Amino acid sequence: MEINVIEKIENPLLNRTEIHFDCTYQGEATPKVLDVKNRLVATLNVDKNLLVVHNLKPSYGEGKANGYAKLYDSEENLNKIEMDHVVMKNKEATKEEKEEAE
């Protein structure tokens, strides 16, 4: 999986940077949001607790997806602004939750 950042837009009103990116994954399944988030964190060299992948839209039959992520300046702002379901899909499962799933 390869990620290319297309555009970074500073949004000082909401204390965040909005990131538009392309994700290429030829011959693989569409990546999970957490996999994309971890790759973005590594690419941008930022704190993973401040980054939220808002959406990932795959292109049919191409092995590509367009994505939108938000990088906040603090966890307080992230929790105050971001909707709960978006935060939950970007949160890694804890050890106890993994054991319950098995």
Side-chain angles (χ1 to χ4, degrees), residues 16-74:
R16 69 182 183 203
T17 303
E18 298 168 356
I19 303 163
H20 295 273
F21 62 91
D22 278 338
C23 179
T24 307
Y25 50 91
Q26 291 295 334
E28 303 173 25
T30 303
K32 296 184 183 335
V33 170
L34 286 176
D35 296 336
V36 172
K37 177 180 177 177
N38 290 333
R39 187 62 64 98
L40 264 174
V41 165
T43 302
L44 299 171
N45 195 20
V46 295
D47 183 5
K48 72 178 183 178
N49 296 324
L50 301 178
L51 184 80
V52 174
V53 175
H54 192 267
N55 64 16
L56 188 64
K57 295 182 181 176
S59 300
Y60 181 75
E62 287 188 38
K64 283 183 172 182
N66 293 327
Y68 174 59
K70 302 171 191 170
L71 176 63
Y72 286 89
D73 64 350
S74 70

Side-chain angles (χ1 to χ4, degrees), residues 34 37 86-94 97:
L34 286 176
K37 177 180 177 177
V86 175
V87 173
M88 290 305 294
K89 77 177 179 182
N90 278 273
K91 194 178 280 190
E92 292 187 24
T94 61
E97 290 172 349

